[in-house]
């Protein structure tokens, strides 16, 4: 699998042990502060690389210390970062995620350079030879530009997938509608599907997105697992029984596992199971780069771990 992950790249700062914002200028001791590469392109790239894919990332970062850290983390995972352009007038996108004792994880986020990335920043010739293009955050490009990129990927023989960052809203779906007919696999979460479509059920909403042009819709449902819908098939798989530490990045990990599963010949059910197993690795720690796992170890985890 030779995949280009295009779009949103973020440096996450996880803060564990938050009980509240201190008054005035007072401080508070916390359990852990940790950085990790993230984003619907960046986080997915990390997990794909760990699962044995050849990964090159494309997007925009600033010319700042945050970029230096993010690029170093991605490169350390084996992700090619040559396609990430520097925007001197932008800061690198970053989030601070305070995790409360009950698992809630509000976030402060700076869009930064992700909002300045355009197709002019991407040399289409550099995509020659890829087998797959994954676009994370088509809303930043807009539907026509996203559709152009995905259509180009198909024209050179690649399959395509799309993951969205923004919450579900009918206006957002209209904004990216031109991309859907060029999308082989759409990878939203359950709240996005219901918000985009206004459907009464997740299956109904996924079917509406297939009718809008997506070839297959694979929806994450948190602790319930995943639902995969095509024009001819509906598959539901459960999540795995694990001790959850933090769910930040689990959607990106599912996307990576699902796409990697398809690339090694799994059917939709098998790919969704691998996606849920990859997400389980991330949920047991902080960030997509938590722990150490490979395609073989995640497959073994899926075989030996019971479902919820």
């Amino acid at each position: 699998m030779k995949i280009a992950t295009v779009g949103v790249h973020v440096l996450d700062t996880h803060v564990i042990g938050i009980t509240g914002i201190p008054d005035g200028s007072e401080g508070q001791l916390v359990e852990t502060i940790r950085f990790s590469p993230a984003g619907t392109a960046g986080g997915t790239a990390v997990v794909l690389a760990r699962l044995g894919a050849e990964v090159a990332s494309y997007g925009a970062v600033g010319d700042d210390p945050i970029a230096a850290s993010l690029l170093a983390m991605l490169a350390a995972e084996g992700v090619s970062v040559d396609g990430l352009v520097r925007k001197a007038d932008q800061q690198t996108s970053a989030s601070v995620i305070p995790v409360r004792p009950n698992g809630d994880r509000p976030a402060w986020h700076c869009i930064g350079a992700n909002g300045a990335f355009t197709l002019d920043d991407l040399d289409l010739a550099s995509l020659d030879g890829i087998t797959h293009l994954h676009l994370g955050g088509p809303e930043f490009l807009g539907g026509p530009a996203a559709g152009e990129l995905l259509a180009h990927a198909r024209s050179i023989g690649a399959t395509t997938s799309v993951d969205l960052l923004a919450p579900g809203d009918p206006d957002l779906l209209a904004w990216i509608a031109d991309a859907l007919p060029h999308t082989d696999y759409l990878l939203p979460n359950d709240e996005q599907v219901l918000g985009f479509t206004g459907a009464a059920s997740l299956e109904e909403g996924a079917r509406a997105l297939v009718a809008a042009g997506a070839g297959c819709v694979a929806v994450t449902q948190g602790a319930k697992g995943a639902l995969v819908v095509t024009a001819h098939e509906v598959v539901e798989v459960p999540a795995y029984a694990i001790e959850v530490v933090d769910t930040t990045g689990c959607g990106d990990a599912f996307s990576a596992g699902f796409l990697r599963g398809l690339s090694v010949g799994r059917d939709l059910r098998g790919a969704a199971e691998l996606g849920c197993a990859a997400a389980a690795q991330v949920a047991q720690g902080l960030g997509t780069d938590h722990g150490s796992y490979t395609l073989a170890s995640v497959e073994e985890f899926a075989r030996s771990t019971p479902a919820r």
Side-chain angles (χ1 to χ4, degrees), residues 59-69 71-72 81-90 92 113 121:
V61 296
D63 191 9
D64 53 20
I66 300 176
S69 297
L71 294 177
V81 296
D82 293 342
L84 287 164
V85 299
R86 298 284 191 123
K87 300 275 189 178
D89 61 339
Q90 301 285 333
T92 303
D121 296 312

Side-chain angles (χ1 to χ4, degrees), residues 125-159:
S126 68
L127 300 177
D128 290 350
I130 64 170
T131 61
H132 192 102
L133 185 140
H134 176 71
L135 176 58
E139 59 267 39
F140 289 102
L141 289 177
E148 180 183 340
L149 175 61
L150 296 166
H152 174 77
R154 281 180 160 182
S155 76
I156 59 174
T159 54

Side-chain angles (χ1 to χ4, degrees), residues 52-106:
E54 181 181 344
V55 188
S57 266
Y58 296 83
V61 296
D63 191 9
D64 53 20
I66 300 176
S69 297
L70 178 56
L71 294 177
M73 288 180 172
L74 290 169
E77 296 288 345
V79 176
S80 171
V81 296
D82 293 342
L84 287 164
V85 299
R86 298 284 191 123
K87 300 275 189 178
D89 61 339
Q90 301 285 333
Q91 82 145 78
T92 303
S93 180
S95 294
V96 177
I97 305 168
V99 183
R100 297 188 179 111
N102 68 354
D104 287 348
R105 49 185 182 98

Side-chain angles (χ1 to χ4, degrees), residues 188-207:
N189 63 39
D190 48 1
E191 293 180 355
Q192 288 172 324
V193 169
L194 296 176
F196 291 148
T197 65
S201 71
L202 202 55
E203 181 180 334
E204 178 187 335
R207 288 187 181 279

Side-chain angles (χ1 to χ4, degrees), residues 40 44 105 134 162-166 186-196 202-203 206 209 216-229 235-239 247-259 271-280:
T40 44
T44 304
R105 49 185 182 98
H134 176 71
V162 169
D163 187 9
L164 298 112
L165 190 64
L186 182 64
L187 302 158
N189 63 39
D190 48 1
E191 293 180 355
Q192 288 172 324
V193 169
L194 296 176
F196 291 148
L202 202 55
E203 181 180 334
L209 293 172
C216 171
V217 180
V219 190
T220 54
Q221 305 181 82
K224 290 181 63 178
L227 177 73
V228 184
V229 176
V235 173
E236 190 162 16
V237 301
T247 58
T248 306
C250 285
D252 303 327
F254 172 84
S255 295
F258 179 77
L259 297 174
E273 289 171 346
L274 189 65
C276 288

